[in-house]
Amino acid sequence: MTFLDELRALLGPEHVLTGEDTASYTLDWRGRYQGKALAVARPGDTDAVAAVVRLCARHRVPVLPQGGNTSLCGGATPDREGGTLVLSLGRLNRVRAIDTDNDTITVEAGCVLQAVQQAAEQAGRLFPLSLAAEGSCSIGGNLATNAGGTQVLRYGNTRELTLGLEVVTPDGRVWHGLRGLRKDNTGYDLRDLYIGSEGTLGIITAATLKLYPLPVARCTALLALPGVEEAVQVLSRARAGFGAMLTGFELMAGYCLQGVVRLYPQQRLPFSGVSAESPWFALLELSDSESEAHARERFEQVLGEVLEAGLATDAAIAENVAQSRALWHLRESIPLAEAAFGKAVKHDVSVPISRIADFVRTTNGLLQASFPGVTHVIFGHLGDGNLHYNVAPAPGQAEAELLALQSRIYQVVHDSVHAHQGSISAEHGVGQLKVDELTRYKDPLELELMRRIKLALDPDGIMNPGKVVRV
Amino acid sequence: MTFLDELRALLGPEHVLTGEDTASYTLDWRGRYQGKALAVARPGDTDAVAAVVRLCARHRVPVLPQGGNTSLCGGATPDREGGTLVLSLGRLNRVRAIDTDNDTITVEAGCVLQAVQQAAEQAGRLFPLSLAAEGSCSIGGNLATNAGGTQVLRYGNTRELTLGLEVVTPDGRVWHGLRGLRKDNTGYDLRDLYIGSEGTLGIITAATLKLYPLPVARCTALLALPGVEEAVQVLSRARAGFGAMLTGFELMAGYCLQGVVRLYPQQRLPFSGVSAESPWFALLELSDSESEAHARERFEQVLGEVLEAGLATDAAIAENVAQSRALWHLRESIPLAEAAFGKAVKHDVSVPISRIADFVRTTNGLLQASFPGVTHVIFGHLGDGNLHYNVAPAPGQAEAELLALQSRIYQVVHDSVHAHQGSISAEHGVGQLKVDELTRYKDPLELELMRRIKLALDPDGIMNPGKVVRV
């Protein structure tokens, strides 16, 4: 029997796709990475995943695990050789258990993030991971890339939300590490090694995740700010004044929000006059275990002090849930509006929060010196030091002209990130996009240690080859 | 030149101890593990640590890194062969940097935990790691064992408090991983692999740690509870009602606190009559970013509901800082009082919070069946599912008689932990005490993966041999 015959015998022919049926699995959702697959396998449970991987190991067929296929770095797209098996986790989409006394949920890798959020909410709990792709990305992909998002300031990245994992190893065995423990010091931290390894060390098939109480109320405020320095000072005061109630702190260049309200006239800024023209805005979110009134009271006090100190020029506190949603909607509309600003060269970077103002000023200057007139589309999670620092065409510049400069722009921005002790991939991972960039910026010793781990755990190199690290 | 000659030439003879001068480094602080050292090296900085390790690698001399020597599992004590070099990190005790805008502190491994707490506080920030040995343990040891303590419920273990590490590898190179970033997805998570590896993969020489705003107020309450089931229900209500204000939730068997006030008459319970005789107590701590009055108000409301629901029989809310301290002092006096209860067989275990009541009931029963009359000295961090489940002599039983049963008691308790999907080492690590226990309870695949990592990162096996995992 050929490999494909064996695969069909294993899963049933309906769960082995070939030829044109693989199309949606070999192109990433933004249409930037086109690969080719030997086949797509759709196993229905962990044992079937393990059996498929054993088959691949025997035939030395490379395996690419895929969830919602929403990677921004080509992490879930095969190469063009056509020798890779895409292993879709889509059918592993069960919520296996919810334990409200332990505040944990155990889910399979193929669960869509939003389904996990909803299952938690139905049990009266919060699963706080939240990001733009939540309606289509899978929790397995979130784990594979240690996804971040908008609630990291309070709840951490996917890593901090995970207690246990079930993993299929590259030789097709199952590590049963689905522990629901908040303290467990019995050996090396395999869990966090698999998280963020983008399927290059094994396949995460299920996870036990932390839940939190649902907040009684959420309240949002928008601030108009004169500059990034002031935003950093406001963040510091907000952390002190709100404590762990502060669950979001998003920074947005004025250009972004002014673009959103220009493009989508049904949306509006809660400011007029000079405040509406502010060079920067920040969106703050409080989650309150008491009441909406209490959250608003806290906003009034702390933001009052911030205004008095001249750190912000204006503030609008949402008066009800609808207004809170409208403010979030402004923030969430930026990526959509970006398309209209002209296709941008995008960066997902982080620097220490104390260096972020200098980073923005310096990098803007370097870009203007080399690429006069380009537009800075800057927004992101200031509370995590994480900016989506995107570069759009200059007024009148053709998209193609800018995209031709892409690798030079990457280098200017990433060199600056590196000089500011930052990370060139804050929350989107490495995938295939940044493998070579890593060799430019990472300590060679660190790359060597990564390679040794890859060789130790995947000696035949069959797991998602070409991603994260080259062996 | 011999190895010792070279070592003296490297560090200066005053920083190489031999013979009787090594006494305090070869016996653990509780006097339970007596080892023997080839010598004790006291390098003064990271480069000197790396040079010592290179020398050891060349001579194939095993290296045991040591901080405050407060391990409860013999993790920092050499074996009796006398061939191991103890590498004391004590001279690496500088606070390298505090960045209040980034809310980070960078410290060397030999800093005493309390010194880190104090440096943070002087900068107006909180470093929340807090545990009994904080006056003498070092942050390097906390990192090596992923130490827990009393604030984990809100702030996590040492792992969750760490952003970056500097590590000397077993071949004597330095990994410069001192990042102050809250988001960084550029490859495998080496940081968390070194954290908790107890010096078996390399030597942590410095770390960049998270800081938090200092709470404006802290307030403590003591509850009298009818049973563990009720304690778990109170925890659930407290998490919902207080949100992240809840920074401590300690459970204590009545026997413990009643013993404390009997032994130390200057201490007293805030209850009288039947409440003072309660079978269980819980200590709750709130940290408030508003005011002490607000914290008390919150306590009154939520604990009022708890009393009304019959989940607790009595509650005492501290009316000022002195009373809060007095309540904590009751809890902190338990380990001291334990000595007077008779030397106990100790366990540091965790189970899912939802199973903790069943675990206590079942395990108490199993012990009484096999060892009639033994005393259950149970206390710990309920919010983390972590109990110090200690077994003291039966009334009138000699200590020696109980200690002779130690390995049988371990087995009864750890078998029960395992049956409840728990961990036999929640926050104290493995050291030499639990290496064989791990082989009994861990999935063989997990042990194999640990061994592969050990071989990949320490191929010559010179780092803290005999601890955590046997290769």
Side-chain angles (χ1 to χ4, degrees):
Chain A
M1 283 211 290
T2 67
F3 171 78
L4 285 180
D5 288 338
E6 286 193 61
L7 191 60
R8 289 192 186 100
L10 207 57
L11 301 181
E14 69 277 27
H15 295 306
V16 179
L17 315 179
T18 53
E20 286 182 11
D21 293 345
T22 67
S24 66
Y25 298 86
T26 53
L27 178 70
D28 75 305
W29 69 287
R30 292 192 302 169
R32 298 210 179 180
Y33 301 92
Q34 176 69 67
K36 209 176 149 194
L38 178 61
V40 175
R42 294 176 40 83
D45 59 29
T46 301
D47 286 342
V49 173
V52 170
V53 173
R54 281 197 300 275
L55 182 66
C56 289
R58 193 145 50 79
H59 288 266
R60 292 283 193 279
V61 170
V63 188
L64 180 142
Q66 190 179 89
N69 197 12
T70 61
S71 171
L72 293 165
C73 303
T77 317
D79 63 25
R80 291 161 189 265
E81 304 298 317
T84 301
L85 180 76
V86 173
L87 193 157
S88 167
L89 279 305
R91 290 175 65 214
L92 278 81
N93 60 358
R94 284 169 287 263
V95 173
R96 289 199 196 157
I98 296 186
D99 181 342
T100 51
D101 278 342
N102 197 40
D103 273 337
T104 47
I105 186 169
T106 299
V107 296
E108 294 183 339
C111 286
V112 170
L113 172 54
Q114 203 162 61
V116 181
Q117 297 165 343
Q118 285 166 355
E121 190 161 346
Q122 276 161 23
R125 295 294 186 276
L126 173 74
F127 179 64
L129 186 66
S130 179
L131 45 90
E134 62 196 24
S136 47
C137 67
S138 73
I139 190 71
N142 302 144
L143 288 156
T145 56
N146 185 30
T150 57
Q151 306 281 301
V152 172
L153 171 65
R154 161 70 183 97
Y155 299 101
N157 297 289
T158 305
R159 172 167 288 128
E160 285 82 34
L161 296 172
T162 307
L163 295 177
L165 293 182
E166 179 185 87
V167 175
V168 172
T169 56
D171 54 4
R173 287 183 288 170
V174 182
W175 172 47
H176 298 283
L178 282 180
R179 298 171 193 138
L181 304 173
R182 280 164 177 79
K183 283 182 174 169
D184 175 29
N185 283 346
T186 54
Y188 301 153
D189 184 12
L190 298 177
R191 176 190 67 200
D192 291 316
L193 194 54
Y194 287 116
I195 295 174
S197 68
E198 305 190 25
T200 63
L201 302 177
I203 302 178
I204 296 170
T205 50
T208 297
L209 306 165
K210 289 186 200 168
L211 299 178
Y212 288 85
L214 274 175
V216 170
R218 279 176 175 152
C219 187
T220 302
L222 193 72
L223 288 181
L225 298 156
V228 184
E229 286 87 348
E230 288 81 1
V232 170
Q233 294 311 310
V234 173
L235 172 65
S236 193
R237 290 192 177 221
R239 281 174 55 106
F242 301 130
M245 287 173 66
L246 183 68
T247 45
F249 196 113
E250 300 283 302
L251 180 70
M252 299 155 284
Y255 182 88
C256 298
L257 285 201
Q258 287 137 14
V260 165
V261 297
R262 197 173 59 242
L263 285 162
Y264 311 113
Q266 73 282 20
Q267 294 200 52
R268 47 186 301 280
L269 285 171
F271 302 122
S272 57
V274 84
S275 298
E277 298 307 313
S278 179
W280 293 94
F281 296 99
L283 180 99
L284 280 69
E285 183 189 72
L286 297 186
S287 296
D288 200 300
S289 54
E290 283 179 63
S291 65
E292 209 179 304
H294 179 255
R296 250 199 312 278
E297 238 176 76
R298 294 301 298 149
F299 258 147
E300 275 158 20
Q301 188 186 332
V302 175
L303 297 186
E305 291 163 17
V306 158
L307 287 167
E308 208 160 301
L311 296 172
T313 51
D314 212 341
I317 302 169
E319 284 180 22
N320 50 49
V321 175
Q323 285 188 11
S324 277
R325 285 211 185 117
L327 293 180
W328 264 118
H329 194 44
L330 285 167
R331 159 67 182 86
E332 287 160 354
S333 302
I334 297 174
L336 205 63
E338 274 195 285
F341 301 158
K343 250 190 189 143
V345 177
K346 300 192 176 195
H347 307 86
D348 165 40
V349 305
S350 65
V351 296
I353 295 165
S354 49
R355 305 200 65 179
I356 211 159
D358 185 61
F359 167 77
V360 170
R361 188 173 42 240
T362 307
T363 316
N364 285 359
L366 290 166
L367 285 173
Q368 289 303 326
S370 297
F371 315 102
V374 290
T375 308
H376 307 288
V377 182
I378 304 171
F379 61 98
H381 319 293
L382 187 72
D384 320 319
N386 176 201
L387 290 184
H388 300 298
Y389 183 95
N390 299 338
V391 181
Q397 185 181 30
E399 280 179 2
E401 196 186 314
L402 183 83
L403 289 178
L405 301 169
Q406 175 159 293
S407 61
R408 287 179 55 205
I409 294 175
Y410 280 159
Q411 186 168 339
V412 169
V413 174
H414 289 168
D415 280 357
S416 181
V417 167
H418 190 63
H420 286 84
Q421 268 99 51
S423 167
I424 63 161
S425 185
E427 58 172 6
H428 296 164
V430 178
Q432 50 185 283
L433 174 64
K434 293 180 183 171
V435 176
D436 291 321
E437 295 278 282
L438 281 204
T439 64
R440 182 179 169 84
Y441 298 108
K442 268 235 190 264
D443 184 344
L445 173 58
E446 184 168 348
L447 283 171
E448 182 191 320
L449 295 169
M450 284 169 58
R451 272 187 217 110
R452 285 204 225 167
I453 288 168
K454 169 75 175 172
L455 281 169
L457 299 188
D458 179 25
D460 295 326
I462 68 164
M463 295 304 311
N464 206 1
K467 313 291 161 56
V468 185
V469 63
R470 286 194 218 290
V471 181
Chain B
M1 282 211 290
T2 66
F3 171 78
L4 285 180
D5 289 338
E6 285 193 63
L7 191 60
R8 290 193 185 99
L10 206 57
L11 300 180
E14 69 276 27
H15 295 308
V16 179
L17 314 179
T18 53
E20 288 183 7
D21 293 346
T22 66
S24 66
Y25 298 86
T26 53
L27 179 69
D28 75 304
W29 69 288
R30 292 191 302 166
R32 299 211 178 177
Y33 301 91
Q34 176 69 68
K36 209 175 149 197
L38 178 63
V40 175
R42 294 175 42 83
D45 60 27
T46 300
D47 287 341
V49 173
V52 170
V53 173
R54 282 197 300 276
L55 182 66
C56 290
R58 195 147 48 78
H59 288 266
R60 292 285 192 279
V61 169
V63 188
L64 180 141
Q66 191 178 88
N69 196 12
T70 61
S71 172
L72 294 165
C73 303
T77 317
D79 64 24
R80 290 160 189 264
E81 305 297 316
T84 300
L85 180 76
V86 173
L87 192 156
S88 167
L89 278 305
R91 291 175 65 214
L92 278 81
N93 61 358
R94 284 169 288 263
V95 174
R96 290 201 194 155
I98 297 186
D99 181 341
T100 50
D101 277 344
N102 196 40
D103 273 337
T104 48
I105 186 169
T106 299
V107 296
E108 294 182 341
C111 284
V112 169
L113 172 54
Q114 202 163 62
V116 180
Q117 296 166 344
Q118 286 166 353
E121 190 160 347
Q122 276 160 25
R125 294 293 186 278
L126 173 75
F127 179 64
L129 186 66
S130 179
L131 45 91
E134 64 195 23
S136 48
C137 67
S138 73
I139 190 73
N142 302 143
L143 288 156
T145 56
N146 185 30
T150 56
Q151 306 281 301
V152 171
L153 171 66
R154 160 70 183 98
Y155 299 102
N157 296 289
T158 305
R159 171 166 290 129
E160 285 82 36
L161 296 171
T162 307
L163 295 177
L165 293 182
E166 180 186 86
V167 175
V168 171
T169 56
D171 55 3
R173 289 183 288 170
V174 182
W175 173 46
H176 298 283
L178 283 179
R179 298 169 193 140
L181 303 173
R182 281 167 177 76
K183 283 183 177 171
D184 175 27
N185 283 346
T186 54
Y188 300 153
D189 184 12
L190 299 176
R191 177 191 66 201
D192 291 315
L193 193 54
Y194 288 116
I195 294 174
S197 69
E198 305 190 26
T200 63
L201 301 177
I203 302 177
I204 296 170
T205 49
T208 297
L209 305 165
K210 289 186 199 168
L211 299 177
Y212 287 85
L214 274 175
V216 170
R218 279 178 177 151
C219 187
T220 302
L222 194 72
L223 289 181
L225 297 157
V228 183
E229 287 86 349
E230 288 81 0
V232 170
Q233 294 312 309
V234 173
L235 172 65
S236 191
R237 288 191 179 222
R239 283 174 53 107
F242 301 129
M245 287 174 66
L246 183 68
T247 46
F249 197 112
E250 301 283 301
L251 181 70
M252 298 155 285
Y255 183 88
C256 298
L257 285 200
Q258 287 138 14
V260 164
V261 297
R262 197 173 60 240
L263 285 162
Y264 311 113
Q266 74 281 20
Q267 293 200 51
R268 47 185 299 278
L269 285 172
F271 303 123
S272 58
V274 83
S275 297
E277 297 308 313
S278 179
W280 293 94
F281 296 98
L283 180 101
L284 281 69
E285 183 189 71
L286 298 185
S287 296
D288 200 298
S289 54
E290 282 180 63
S291 65
E292 209 179 304
H294 179 255
R296 250 198 313 278
E297 238 175 75
R298 294 301 297 147
F299 258 147
E300 276 158 20
Q301 188 187 329
V302 176
L303 298 187
E305 291 163 15
V306 159
L307 287 168
E308 206 159 304
L311 297 172
T313 51
D314 211 341
I317 302 167
E319 285 180 22
N320 50 48
V321 175
Q323 285 187 10
S324 277
R325 285 209 187 118
L327 293 180
W328 264 117
H329 194 43
L330 285 167
R331 159 69 182 86
E332 287 160 355
S333 301
I334 297 173
L336 205 63
E338 275 196 286
F341 301 159
K343 251 189 189 144
V345 178
K346 300 191 175 195
H347 308 87
D348 164 42
V349 305
S350 65
V351 296
I353 296 166
S354 49
R355 305 199 66 179
I356 212 160
D358 185 62
F359 166 77
V360 170
R361 187 175 39 240
T362 307
T363 316
N364 286 0
L366 291 167
L367 285 172
Q368 289 304 325
S370 296
F371 315 101
V374 291
T375 309
H376 307 289
V377 182
I378 304 172
F379 61 98
H381 319 294
L382 187 72
D384 319 321
N386 175 200
L387 290 184
H388 299 300
Y389 183 94
N390 298 339
V391 182
Q397 185 181 30
E399 281 179 2
E401 197 186 315
L402 183 82
L403 290 178
L405 301 169
Q406 175 158 293
S407 62
R408 286 180 55 206
I409 295 175
Y410 279 158
Q411 187 169 336
V412 169
V413 174
H414 288 167
D415 279 358
S416 181
V417 167
H418 190 64
H420 287 85
Q421 269 99 53
S423 167
I424 63 161
S425 185
E427 58 173 6
H428 296 167
V430 179
Q432 48 185 285
L433 173 65
K434 294 180 182 171
V435 177
D436 291 322
E437 296 277 282
L438 280 203
T439 62
R440 184 178 168 84
Y441 298 107
K442 265 225 192 275
D443 183 346
L445 174 58
E446 183 168 350
L447 283 170
E448 180 191 321
L449 294 169
M450 284 170 57
R451 274 187 215 109
R452 286 204 223 167
I453 288 168
K454 169 75 174 172
L455 281 169
L457 298 187
D458 179 26
D460 296 325
I462 68 164
M463 295 304 312
N464 206 1
K467 312 292 160 57
V468 185
V469 64
R470 289 194 216 290
V471 181

